[in-house]
Amino acid sequence: MDALKERKNRYFLVSAIGALIALISFLLFPFVTWNIRINASVISLAFAFPLNATFISQQAAAIWLCAILALGALIVSCLLIYRSHPFGGQTPVETQTQWGLYALAGAGVLALIIQFIVVSNLGSSIKSNPSIFNALNNIDSSSSSSSVNSLLTSITDSSASYNIGAWLFLLGMLAVIVGAGIEILQRNPRLLQSLSPQPGSAPNPYQGQPGYPPAYPPQGANPYPPQTPSAPQQPGSEYSYPPAPQPDPYASPQNPGQQPPADYR
């Protein structure tokens, strides 16, 4: 039980629970509903027959592949949870875990494909097999084969739809796929980065317009023009101070009490 509480096994546990739900729903619940409509000369009747997986297998044996895949997904999930080396041998643990995850995802997808194909073709398959209709109504086929055949020829619509068992099976195998898929993404950072949007990947509305992109100076270049120093720098001096302003002898004195030199009187 301690292994079920570990954080590293949480998505393996999701897949295991999903596979268990799918297997139980396949074996115990009505799997599909057979819908037929009969148009006789006087009346028109519609019937709906719930069928379990065992009965469906008499017409479409491929439905047992769904149960086998669900059982295999449950076994693989338990191996990933309880064993350090899920499949034994000298193969590295990380490689064996990747094998198990891909097996879970593949089993879930394949089971849903088989379920969809079998249910889609079940209506026409049952219509063409009178023994199935006899079994549904507990009719002796040897004594009433002619009446059954005439009744089957009056069927204008025959289809199969998902019942509670098929819906639970669908949800269970989706849980298997989701649990394995999340674990695969977490163990492959490169794959996760490729699926996530990268910065700057959004389209630029100004791309292709005149004057775009703007011209920038090359990296490392000084964008400002060099300035010519006003006075030559002294050797060894890192900074040159501006020259001090010289007094103008011809300017009028700012202080009225100050007299100009005697040479200009």
Side-chain angles (χ1 to χ4, degrees):
M1 295 299 295
D2 294 337
L4 299 178
K5 300 178 182 180
E6 295 183 7
R7 185 177 179 85
K8 65 177 182 178
N9 295 328
R10 60 187 183 279
Y11 294 114
F12 300 151
L13 182 61
V14 171
S15 297
I17 294 174
L20 181 61
I21 292 174
L23 186 61
I24 292 175
S25 63
F26 181 90
L27 298 175
L28 301 181
F29 293 95
F31 203 73
V32 300
T33 301
W34 182 38
N35 305 295
I36 60 174
R37 182 177 296 277
I38 300 175
N39 290 328
S41 57
V42 180
I43 58 175
S44 177
L45 301 175
F47 299 95
F49 298 96
L51 307 177
N52 56 23
T54 305
F55 189 87
I56 296 172
S57 63
Q58 298 178 14
Q59 183 63 31
I63 194 67
W64 283 109
L65 292 176
C66 294
I68 294 174
L69 291 172
L71 179 60
L74 179 61
I75 294 174
V76 171
S77 300
C78 293
L79 291 177
L80 292 173
I81 293 174
Y82 289 105
R83 297 187 62 178
S84 58
H85 287 72
F87 307 107
Q90 302 298 326
T91 307
V93 178
E94 186 65 25
T95 303
Q96 294 188 18
T97 304
Q98 291 290 341
W99 290 350
L101 292 173
Y102 287 123
L104 289 175
V109 173
L110 185 59
L112 295 183
I113 293 175
I114 294 174
Q115 179 193 25
F116 176 78
I117 294 175
V118 170
V119 175
S120 299
N121 299 325
L122 188 63
S124 59
S125 300
I126 295 178
K127 181 181 177 181
S128 61
N129 190 356
S131 61
I132 298 295
F133 192 83
N134 293 333
L136 285 173
N137 293 274
N138 296 322
I139 300 175
D140 185 7
S141 58
S142 60
S143 61
S144 59
S145 59
S146 60
S147 61
V148 170
N149 289 332
S150 62
L151 184 61
L152 290 176
T153 56
S154 302
I155 296 177
T156 58
D157 185 21
S158 176
S159 62
S161 59
Y162 284 14
N163 206 320
I164 181 65
W167 287 116
L168 289 176
F169 184 88
L170 174 66
L171 294 177
M173 298 311 290
L174 284 178
V176 173
I177 297 172
V178 170
I182 295 177
E183 191 68 27
I184 290 173
L185 291 178
Q186 289 186 349
R187 292 173 178 269
N188 292 273
R190 294 182 180 179
L191 180 59
L192 184 61
Q193 292 177 2
S194 63
L195 296 177
S196 60
Q198 299 295 330
S201 59
N204 192 341
Y206 301 101
Q207 187 72 29
Q209 295 186 4
Y212 186 87
Y216 293 103
Q219 186 177 4
N222 188 2
Y224 302 101
Q227 298 181 357
T228 305
S230 57
Q233 297 182 0
Q234 299 295 330
S237 175
E238 297 181 357
Y239 181 79
S240 60
Y241 295 92
Q246 301 294 331
D248 188 1
Y250 299 97
S252 58
Q254 296 181 358
N255 188 357
Q258 183 180 3
Q259 298 296 331
D263 297 341
Y264 299 99
R265 291 183 179 177

